[in-house]
Amino acid sequence: MDYLSELPHEILESIFSHLSIKEAAATSILSRRWRHLWKNIDYPILDIDLAALISISSYHNLGSLRVRSEIPRLVSTILDQHQGSTIHELKIRFPYHYLAQFLGKIDARSLVCWIKTAFKKKVKNLFLQLNTLGGESITNACSFHTLPSSFSSLVSLHLVALHSLYSQTLIDYFLLNSPLLEVLFIRRCCGLTNLKISCLKLKHFTLTDTSTECLEISAPNLKSFNFRHKFQPTISFKNVPSLKHISLEGFDSYQFIVSNLNSILDLLTQLDSLALTILGRAYITSSPIINFPILKNLKQLHLSVNCYSDLVNTLTPLLQAPPELLKVSLINLKNGVYPYARWEAALNSRYQCLEVVEIVRFVGSDEEIEFAGYLAENAASLQKIIVHAHESVHSDGLLRLERRLLSSVELHII
């Protein structure tokens, strides 16, 4: 006797509401009764993963190109049959390899319908990963003008791999019509060469792996900005009085800071946290920068480097700039160092507030050990050094580091 199948629809739907959509959809293989039951569940968090749907369809021998091309329509069906009045979080994810092989073109009208449904269901957190990167993978892009105005429920927006024909249009739409938007995450979206971000309530903004060359930000409540790019862009901070954290990675952002020091001086002095990358070795023979501003509020400094010899001329001004610096993190990008760094000649300050030093991808070189030892001796408040050891590090390197440190400094190896 199959007692589970004998349960009323209401009880089964209550059970399904505690499952992910992938787990619920998997029940459709059990019998005809179960095949469509999962589509009617009131999910407070609705995560529609194309890979999961195609995987489930294969159990029914529905893996043909014709059926798989109907997957976007199935997404619309799931959304239309949602019984609840609200969806707290909606994710629609299209992995690229499935899209390219099975789906062909995506009709923009489907995307517009999904956004309209998110609007009607008062979605707070919206995640769209479409991976429509090909030049012929979108049709009817003109449908975007029918999107509803005042998406007042939206608080968090993640956009991943949008097509160049509409990425700018969608971003502009959400910025203009989402008055409560606080979190904006954009990754691998094409067509954003010149991007302007203007949003009153925006607090956290992340932009990674795009082709952006010029970026302008005006967000009076913005607290954190994370940016990753292979090439140095033009970044203009128009109105960001609340900004406390900046992370600029992927390109030589230390050089960007130095080149724009005068124009962003006020911005730097208000920061609590700063993350930079230095990729070249242009500073090995140059003199340390002596006019770096006093960063009175900076508490955390993260620096990604190719080689430690560069740090002689980068850390000198950076470590001296923030008088209340609490934590320094170094990320070794190349898993190696060069034997040119001389800390004792370049760093001659006392760091009264520094409490934590973190070294990521530690390889056990003399330069790394000497640097950690120098800070241990010159930071009166230093409590611990955290080491994220690289897989190639030998035990003797960690042992030499431990011997180099003062007994009052704890060593944490991860």
Side-chain angles (χ1 to χ4, degrees):
M1 185 68 179
D2 185 0
Y3 292 102
L4 188 60
S5 294
E6 294 298 321
L7 292 174
H9 280 292
E10 294 78 12
I11 295 179
L12 290 177
E13 291 176 358
S14 177
I15 296 173
F16 281 13
S17 67
H18 296 279
L19 303 176
S20 69
I21 190 171
K22 180 179 180 180
E23 294 169 330
T27 64
S28 61
I29 67 173
L30 298 178
S31 68
R32 290 184 178 179
R33 183 196 176 191
W34 293 80
R35 180 163 296 180
H36 301 290
L37 188 62
W38 63 279
K39 299 178 183 178
N40 301 319
I41 309 305
D42 184 6
Y43 295 96
I45 299 178
L46 192 56
D47 186 354
I48 304 176
D49 185 349
L50 174 64
L53 296 179
I54 290 180
S55 176
I56 296 302
S57 71
S58 64
Y59 288 111
H60 295 299
N61 283 325
L62 299 179
S64 67
L65 291 177
R66 180 187 65 81
V67 174
R68 288 178 173 178
S69 65
E70 297 297 317
I71 292 295
R73 185 175 298 177
L74 177 57
V75 173
S76 299
T77 300
I78 295 172
L79 292 176
D80 292 340
Q81 294 183 355
H82 185 273
Q83 300 299 309
S85 59
T86 61
I87 301 176
H88 179 75
E89 180 176 329
L90 174 61
K91 293 183 178 181
I92 302 177
R93 297 181 290 160
F94 284 70
Y96 176 72
H97 58 288
Y98 283 106
L99 184 69
Q101 187 175 359
F102 300 123
L103 298 184
K105 295 182 179 181
I106 286 184
D107 194 322
R109 289 175 295 190
S110 297
L111 177 56
V112 170
C113 288
W114 301 340
I115 296 176
K116 287 182 177 180
T117 301
F119 168 78
K120 294 177 182 178
K121 298 292 184 178
K122 301 177 182 179
V123 169
K124 291 184 177 180
N125 304 318
L126 180 61
F127 185 109
L128 296 175
Q129 179 182 350
L130 301 183
N131 280 309
T132 52
L133 300 179
E136 299 297 330
S137 58
I138 187 75
T139 60
N140 295 316
C142 60
S143 302
F144 291 107
H145 75 276
T146 64
L147 287 170
S149 60
S150 187
F151 199 151
S152 57
S153 64
L154 192 63
V155 175
S156 175
L157 175 65
H158 282 61
L159 301 175
V160 180
L162 299 188
H163 195 280
S164 59
L165 291 179
Y166 62 81
S167 58
Q168 183 70 68
T169 301
L170 275 188
I171 292 172
D172 290 342
Y173 162 74
F174 284 115
L175 289 176
L176 182 62
N177 295 282
S178 305
L180 300 181
L181 186 65
E182 295 183 358
V183 178
L184 177 60
F185 180 97
I186 302 173
R187 182 186 178 206
R188 290 195 295 115
C189 292
C190 302
L192 303 178
T193 304
N194 298 292
L195 181 61
K196 292 185 178 181
I197 301 297
S198 179
C199 187
L200 181 61
K201 296 291 186 178
L202 189 64
K203 293 182 178 179
H204 307 284
F205 175 40
T206 298
L207 180 65
T208 66
D209 304 322
T210 68
S211 57
T212 304
E213 297 178 1
C214 296
L215 173 63
E216 180 179 307
I217 304 175
S218 178
N221 290 289
L222 188 66
K223 294 182 178 180
S224 68
F225 171 54
N226 298 281
F227 182 83
R228 175 177 289 275
H229 200 321
K230 291 183 179 180
F231 307 101
Q232 179 174 319
T234 299
I235 304 178
S236 177
F237 298 95
K238 290 293 187 180
N239 182 22
V240 288
S242 302
L243 190 58
K244 298 298 181 183
H245 167 78
I246 290 181
S247 176
L248 304 174
E249 299 184 276
F251 65 103
D252 200 333
S253 53
Y254 179 83
Q255 176 60 38
F256 170 82
I257 292 293
V258 171
S259 301
N260 297 275
L261 200 54
N262 293 331
S263 60
I264 61 174
L265 180 59
D266 292 338
L267 174 62
L268 292 175
T269 57
Q270 73 186 36
L271 296 180
D272 290 335
S273 174
L274 177 62
L276 299 175
T277 300
I278 176 168
L279 297 177
R281 298 180 60 193
Y283 304 101
I284 294 178
T285 58
S286 62
S287 300
I289 300 170
I290 60 175
N291 61 340
F292 210 90
I294 299 298
L295 307 181
K296 59 182 179 179
N297 294 313
L298 195 67
K299 301 296 188 299
Q300 297 189 49
L301 174 64
H302 304 264
L303 194 62
S304 302
V305 297
N306 269 352
C307 59
Y308 270 57
S309 53
D310 291 331
L311 295 182
V312 173
N313 288 327
T314 55
L315 278 186
T316 298
L318 283 177
L319 286 180
Q320 292 175 350
E324 298 185 5
L325 186 65
L326 298 177
K327 181 178 180 180
V328 173
S329 297
L330 295 177
I331 298 92
N332 188 349
L333 296 176
K334 291 293 187 179
N335 304 332
V337 294
Y338 296 88
Y340 302 115
R342 295 294 182 265
W343 308 111
E344 67 278 4
L347 304 175
N348 53 14
S349 298
R350 294 277 176 178
Y351 314 106
Q352 299 301 321
C353 297
L354 188 61
E355 297 179 353
V356 180
V357 173
E358 184 177 29
I359 302 178
V360 181
R361 301 171 74 90
F362 177 83
V363 297
S365 69
D366 293 339
E367 287 68 39
E368 290 172 309
I369 295 172
E370 192 60 31
F371 169 70
Y374 173 84
L375 288 181
E377 294 172 354
N378 291 274
S381 301
L382 189 64
Q383 300 175 5
K384 60 183 176 181
I385 293 181
I386 303 172
V387 172
H388 300 260
H390 188 261
E391 58 184 11
S392 64
V393 67
H394 296 291
S395 57
D396 62 328
L398 297 172
L399 182 59
R400 287 190 298 118
L401 174 62
E402 186 175 9
R403 291 174 178 173
R404 179 67 175 80
L405 301 180
L406 300 177
S407 59
S408 59
V409 178
E410 298 180 10
L411 178 61
H412 296 260
I413 301 174
I414 300 175

